[in-house]
Amino acid sequence: MLTKQEKELLEECLDELYEEYGTYRKSLKPGEPMNATYQLFLSIVKKLGLRQPK
């Protein structure tokens, strides 16, 4: 498990990807599946206990 400090640093490094995910998510059409890269990103974020992208 990551410490609070490690999580904050990792989230800071991933800020750009969080933003890109938000833009990508808005561009999806209803029922359109998410691509593998973003599925993996969400899986990693969840497993590491990082904040969930919006």
Side-chain angles (χ1 to χ4, degrees), residues 10-52:
L10 188 53
E11 287 172 347
E12 186 179 315
C13 292
L14 292 174
D15 275 345
E16 190 174 315
L17 190 52
Y18 278 107
E19 288 178 35
E20 288 176 15
Y21 171 79
T23 302
Y24 170 74
R25 182 107 166 119
K26 290 175 188 173
S27 74
L28 286 175
K29 296 177 180 124
E32 183 179 0
M34 195 178 308
N35 73 31
T37 300
Y38 286 107
Q39 288 178 0
L40 180 60
F41 169 65
L42 291 177
S43 177
I44 291 169
V45 165
K46 184 177 179 180
K47 285 181 182 176
L48 292 178
L50 303 177
R51 75 174 188 266
Q52 297 297 304

